[in-house]
Amino acid sequence: MTQDVEMKDNQTPTQSVVSAPTSTLQNLKEIAALIDTGSYTKEVRRIARAVRLTVGLRRQLTSSVISSFLDFALVPGSEAHTRLASFVPKSDEHDMEVDTASSNSQAPPKHLPAELEIYCYFIVLLFLIDQKKYNEAKACSSASIARLKNVNRRTVDVIASKLYFYYSLSYELTDDLAEIRSTLLALHHSATLRHDELGQETLLNLLLRNYLHYNLYDQAEKLRSKAPRFEAHSNQQFCRYLFYLGKIRTIQLEYTDAKESLLQAARKAPVASLGFRIQCNKWAIIVRLLLGEIPERSIFTQKGMEKPLRPYFELTNAVRIGDLELFGNVQEKFAETFAKDRTHNLIVRLRHNVIRTGLRNISISYSRISLQDVAQKLRLNSANPVADAESIVAKAIRDGAIDATIDHKNGCMVSKETGDIYSTNEPQTAFNSRIAFCLNMHNEAVRALRMEIQEPEVAKNPEIEDTIEVAKQRRNEEVEDCDEQQHKQHQAEEDEEDELRKLLLSDIGELPISPPSATQVNFVSYFITDFTKSGHDQYIYRHANGLCVIGLAPTHIAFKDEGGITNVDFNVGKSDRSVLKVSGKRKKNALRSESNTALCKVSTAKDSYIVRCCVKGSLLEVNERLIKQPELLNSSADREGYIAIIMPRPADWTKNKESLITLEEYKEKKEISL
C-alpha cells in the first residue's frame, strides 16, 4: 500500500500567536483559550483555526511542553489526565523549569469542555507519531476513539476527523489495519446518523484505504456506491477520495473514468503534498498507457518528480517504441519499485499494448512480411513463435488495430495500401445520400399537411353533396396553386444556381492574363506624391483590419539615380527604429508617430533621401531585412521591400485619407501603367 501523505493546510500561525519570544506552552494555552471560546459560542470556525495553529506548532512539541499543557488543561489526577500522562515520557528538570515558569502567566479554564479534552488526545497522539512510538500511539488513539463515542457535538467534528485519520495511520504503521475495520464501519454509521459530514468523508476514505490495502476492490466499490452523497467539506479528503476512486476504476478496467479521477486528484491536490501528487501521476501514467495514449514529457519533468517518475518514463518510452525486449528489461529493472507502488499487475497488462504498437509499426513499414520475421521483430520468446505471431496478427486485424490480411499459404502478413478517401467519389456519394434523405423528409412533411376531405355516409342530402363538390373544387385549385408556386420557386432556385455557377466558374475568356496578387486582393492602394519634397512619392497599402503598409512608390526620386538604392538606415530622429520591439494585444512599446515623422534614410550613389510615415498612428514594425538587403527596394519595393507597418486610429485615418490619392488617380497623374 502506498504511504498516505498528510496534505497540510498552507497556513501558519499569526505573529500574535507564534513569535520568537513566545514559548510553545504559551501558544498552546492561547489555543486552549480559543477552543474554550469556540465551545462556549458553538463556533466551529474557531475550533478549525485551533487545529490549523496546532499543525504549525507540531515540530516544537516536546515531552515537557506536553506534560505542562496537560497539567494546565486537565484536572490533575482525573481519569483523562492520568491516562494521557502515562503516554508522555518524563522530561528533564531544565525543560520543566522553563515551562513551569511560563505556566503561571495564564490561569487554567474554570470548566473543562469536551472539545479541550479531545484536543489533548489530539496533541499527545501527534507527539507520539512524530516520535515514532507507534504502539503507544495505537493505545492513545484507541482511547481517544472510545472517548469520542460518548461525545455528540458539532464543534468536536473538526478535531474528531483528525483523530480518525491518525487512528488509522497508527494501526497502518504497525501493519494492523484489519483490526480496526469494524470500528471504522461503526464510526461511519454513527457519523451518518449524527449528520457529521466531515467525519463521514474522512471515515469513508479511511475505509476505502483499508480495503485497498488488502486488495479488496469489490468490497471497496460496494461501500463507495452505497455511501451517502454530500458536498465535500475538505479539499484534502476530496482529493483522497478521487485517488481511491481512480484506483478502483483502474482495477475494474474502466480506464476512462479512472484517468479523469486521477488527473483531477493531481490537479486539486495542494502544492505542498508532493508525495500524494507523485502517486496520482504514477497511476495516471499507467492508465493513459493502457488507454493507448502517450503521456506528455512535461509530466515527467515536474519539479521534484523527475527521480520518482523515472521508472515510469522509461516504461512509457518502451511502450511508445513498441519494443517488447526493452519493455521486459524495464519491468525487470524496476520490479521492486513497481511492487512497492502496487502497479506491477497493471504493467503486466501493458504487454499487449507494446506488441500492438510494434505490430502497427511493422504494418506501416512493410507491405508484405513473413510471420517468422514478424515474430523476430516483436522478439517473441516462445516455443512456437510463428504460431504466436499468427495469432497476434489475427487478433490485431480483428480488433481493427492494423489494416492487413494473413496469407496462410505463404505464411506472411500483407498490409493493405492506405489511400486518401477524399480522392475518391465516396464523400460525394455520402453527401448526396444525406441531401436526398433531407429533401425526401421535407416532401413527405408537405404532403402530410394536405388534409383529405372524406365523404359522409349521409351523401343523399343534396346540400351536403354540393358542399363537398365546392370543397373538392377549392382543394384542387389550392393544390394547383401550390404546384405552380413550387414550380416557380424551383425555377427561381435553378436561375440562382446558374448565376452562382457563372460567378464561381467564370468564362475562361473573361479571366485576366495573370491572377491578381495578394496585395491587390487583400489591400486597398493609396498614394501620396511630392510629400514634403518634390519626387518623394510613397504608397500606403491599407488592410481591412486597419493596418497600413508604407513603402516607396515606383516614381520615387531615389529609383531614378544610377545604381538605385544602395543603403537603408533606420537610425533617424531620436531613436533607432530597427530596435523597436512591440508585444502583446495592446501593442506595448509601439512608437507614436506623426505623418511627417522620419522612418528611415535611403541612400544612392549620388544622394540620400528621408522616408516619412505619411499617416499618423502607432509604428508597429520596420522591415529589418532592408538593412542587409537594400536591393529589395530596387527589385520588389511593393512586396518584400516595404518600409514599415503603422496602425492609425480611425479618426486619424479619416483625416489623412483626404490627402491621399487612389491607384487610378496616381496612374493618371504620373502617366504610368502598373
Side-chain angles (χ1 to χ4, degrees):
M1 192 68 181
T2 57
Q3 185 178 0
D4 199 358
V5 180
E6 182 184 3
M7 292 181 283
K8 302 176 182 179
D9 295 328
N10 296 328
Q11 300 188 23
T12 57
T14 58
Q15 190 67 19
S16 62
V17 178
V18 179
S19 58
T22 307
S23 66
T24 306
L25 179 58
Q26 184 64 26
N27 295 329
L28 289 176
K29 291 178 180 180
E30 293 179 2
I31 293 174
L34 186 64
I35 294 175
D36 189 38
T37 304
S39 173
Y40 179 74
T41 59
K42 297 182 180 180
E43 292 180 286
V44 180
R45 62 181 181 86
R46 294 182 181 271
I47 309 297
R49 183 168 179 267
V51 173
R52 291 195 300 270
L53 294 175
T54 306
V55 174
L57 297 173
R58 181 173 180 176
R59 296 181 181 275
Q60 305 175 19
L61 295 178
T62 61
S63 58
S64 59
V65 172
I66 298 294
S67 300
S68 299
F69 179 73
L70 293 179
D71 294 339
F72 166 80
L74 302 176
V75 178
S78 63
E79 181 181 358
H81 182 275
T82 305
R83 184 184 299 110
L84 290 175
S86 63
F87 297 125
V88 181
K90 295 182 179 180
S91 58
D92 54 12
E93 296 180 359
H94 177 71
D95 291 342
M96 287 296 294
E97 289 177 0
V98 172
D99 292 329
T100 304
S102 61
S103 62
N104 298 325
S105 60
Q106 186 171 343
K110 297 180 180 179
H111 63 284
L112 180 62
E115 290 82 359
L116 188 56
E117 181 182 352
I118 300 300
Y119 176 76
C120 292
Y121 280 100
F122 173 57
I123 61 171
V124 171
L125 184 56
L126 274 181
F127 172 74
L128 293 175
I129 292 178
D130 291 342
Q131 297 296 321
K132 298 183 179 180
K133 299 181 178 181
Y134 301 133
N135 292 326
E136 291 84 350
K138 284 174 56 178
C140 180
S141 60
S142 300
S144 65
I145 296 301
R147 179 67 180 90
L148 276 175
K149 291 180 180 179
N150 301 324
V151 179
N152 183 16
R153 301 185 65 177
R154 299 288 70 80
T155 49
V156 182
D157 294 344
V158 179
I159 308 176
S161 64
K162 293 290 183 180
L163 286 176
Y164 296 150
F165 173 79
Y166 290 109
Y167 173 60
S168 177
L169 179 61
S170 61
Y171 275 84
E172 181 179 348
L173 293 173
T174 56
D175 200 17
D176 295 327
L177 265 181
E179 297 180 8
I180 62 171
R181 190 178 304 155
S182 58
T183 305
L184 292 177
L185 288 169
L187 290 172
H188 185 267
H189 178 70
S190 300
T192 305
L193 295 178
R194 296 174 177 178
H195 301 287
D196 177 13
E197 295 184 352
L198 183 59
Q200 288 181 60
E201 61 180 0
T202 304
L203 290 166
L204 177 60
N205 286 334
L206 294 176
L207 284 167
L208 292 177
R209 182 176 181 81
N210 197 307
Y211 284 123
L212 298 183
H213 181 79
Y214 295 100
N215 297 325
L216 303 175
Y217 289 93
D218 291 338
Q219 290 89 328
E221 173 59 20
K222 289 179 181 178
L223 172 66
R224 188 207 63 80
S225 61
K226 295 181 180 180
R229 300 286 190 272
F230 49 83
E231 184 180 357
H233 292 267
S234 171
N235 180 61
Q236 291 86 348
Q237 296 299 334
F238 184 57
C239 291
R240 289 193 181 100
Y241 174 78
L242 291 174
F243 176 60
Y244 298 144
L245 178 61
K247 294 177 70 173
I248 295 172
R249 290 286 183 260
T250 303
I251 299 300
Q252 294 178 339
L253 306 181
E254 299 176 9
Y255 298 133
T256 303
D257 296 339
K259 170 190 169 184
E260 182 179 354
S261 299
L262 292 169
L263 292 180
Q264 189 177 2
R267 285 194 301 266
K268 286 181 173 292
V271 179
S273 58
L274 181 62
F276 179 80
R277 291 192 293 116
I278 289 174
Q279 290 298 327
C280 291
N281 281 304
K282 286 180 179 179
W283 279 76
I285 290 169
I286 298 296
V287 170
R288 293 187 65 178
L289 290 175
L290 289 170
L291 283 171
E293 303 176 4
I294 301 298
E296 298 82 4
R297 193 181 186 90
S298 59
I299 295 177
F300 303 96
T301 58
Q302 298 180 65
K303 184 179 180 181
M305 297 189 185
E306 296 88 346
K307 186 176 180 180
L309 296 182
R310 184 67 187 179
Y312 295 88
F313 174 74
E314 296 188 14
L315 183 69
T316 302
N317 188 42
V319 175
R320 180 182 62 84
I321 298 174
D323 191 337
L324 195 60
E325 183 177 359
L326 178 60
F327 175 77
N329 294 337
V330 173
Q331 189 176 3
E332 182 179 357
K333 179 181 177 182
F334 299 103
E336 184 177 352
T337 303
F338 296 146
K340 183 179 179 181
D341 295 338
R342 296 204 170 190
T343 56
H344 184 268
N345 293 336
L346 299 176
I347 294 173
V348 172
R349 301 182 189 177
L350 286 174
R351 186 175 185 274
H352 175 67
N353 295 51
V354 178
I355 294 175
R356 184 172 57 184
T357 303
L359 190 60
R360 189 184 300 114
N361 295 336
I362 294 173
S363 175
I364 295 173
S365 303
Y366 297 91
S367 59
R368 187 182 186 91
I369 184 173
S370 64
L371 295 176
Q372 185 176 1
D373 292 339
V374 171
Q376 183 178 358
K377 290 184 177 297
L378 292 178
R379 301 180 183 180
L380 299 176
N381 300 324
S382 59
N384 193 353
V386 177
D388 292 344
E390 185 176 2
S391 301
I392 292 172
V393 172
K395 187 176 186 304
I397 294 174
R398 186 196 64 182
D399 296 341
I402 59 174
D403 190 8
T405 57
I406 299 178
D407 187 354
H408 296 281
K409 183 177 180 181
N410 298 320
C412 60
M413 180 184 72
V414 181
S415 301
K416 296 181 181 179
E417 296 184 2
T418 56
D420 185 8
I421 192 174
Y422 290 99
S423 62
T424 64
N425 293 330
E426 186 171 347
Q428 181 182 0
T429 304
F431 190 57
N432 185 41
S433 63
R434 294 178 184 179
I435 293 177
F437 172 78
C438 294
L439 292 176
N440 186 33
M441 182 181 294
H442 173 266
N443 295 334
E444 290 181 356
V446 171
R447 284 195 294 268
L449 292 175
R450 299 174 181 173
M451 182 179 63
E452 297 184 358
I453 301 177
Q454 298 179 356
E455 296 184 2
E457 297 180 358
V458 288
K460 297 181 180 180
N461 192 336
E463 295 181 358
I464 297 179
E465 292 179 357
D466 294 340
T467 304
I468 292 175
E469 284 295 329
V470 173
K472 286 183 177 180
Q473 185 177 358
R474 186 181 303 166
R475 186 191 65 179
N476 293 334
E477 292 176 355
E478 291 177 354
V479 171
E480 291 176 359
D481 293 341
C482 183
D483 293 339
E484 185 177 356
Q485 290 179 0
Q486 289 183 355
H487 177 72
K488 290 181 179 179
Q489 184 178 0
H490 182 67
Q491 188 66 29
E493 291 176 355
E494 289 183 352
D495 295 340
E496 290 179 1
E497 290 180 359
D498 293 339
E499 293 178 0
L500 182 60
R501 190 178 294 107
K502 291 179 181 179
L503 181 61
L504 297 178
L505 304 175
S506 304
D507 187 3
I508 191 172
E510 300 176 356
L511 295 176
I513 298 175
S514 60
S517 63
T519 304
Q520 295 172 341
V521 173
N522 299 316
F523 293 85
V524 179
S525 301
Y526 295 94
F527 292 84
I528 186 169
T529 57
D530 303 328
F531 186 62
T532 67
K533 289 184 180 181
S534 177
H536 286 241
D537 301 339
Q538 294 181 224
Y539 67 78
I540 301 95
Y541 293 159
R542 188 171 190 270
H543 195 268
N545 59 9
L547 288 175
C548 293
V549 181
I550 311 299
L552 301 183
T555 57
H556 194 277
I557 190 173
F559 295 129
K560 298 178 181 180
D561 292 348
E562 184 178 356
I565 298 173
T566 59
N567 184 45
V568 178
D569 185 11
F570 286 101
N571 190 8
V572 292
K574 296 182 180 180
S575 61
D576 188 356
R577 315 299 193 216
S578 61
V579 299
L580 180 67
K581 300 296 181 184
V582 179
S583 63
K585 183 178 180 182
R586 299 183 179 274
K587 309 302 180 187
K588 186 179 180 181
N589 299 328
L591 179 62
R592 186 67 181 167
S593 60
E594 300 292 334
S595 58
N596 60 349
T597 302
L599 281 176
C600 66
K601 180 174 66 175
V602 296
S603 303
T604 63
K606 296 181 180 180
D607 202 353
S608 60
Y609 308 93
I610 298 296
V611 180
R612 303 187 183 276
C613 292
C614 302
V615 294
K616 181 181 179 181
S618 300
L619 178 60
L620 305 182
E621 174 188 327
V622 296
N623 190 357
E624 298 179 1
R625 292 180 59 188
L626 298 180
I627 300 175
K628 296 182 179 180
Q629 298 175 288
E631 63 274 7
L632 291 176
L633 285 170
N634 301 322
S635 59
S636 56
D638 60 336
R639 296 188 300 276
E640 290 88 351
Y642 73 95
I643 301 295
I645 298 177
I646 297 177
M647 170 61 83
R649 294 179 179 176
D652 295 337
W653 170 252
T654 304
K655 295 179 181 179
N656 290 328
K657 187 178 178 183
E658 297 176 356
S659 61
L660 306 179
I661 60 176
T662 63
L663 177 61
E664 298 300 328
E665 293 173 344
Y666 173 72
K667 292 180 181 179
E668 183 179 354
K669 183 176 181 179
K670 295 295 181 178
E671 297 179 354
I672 60 173
S673 60
L674 297 177

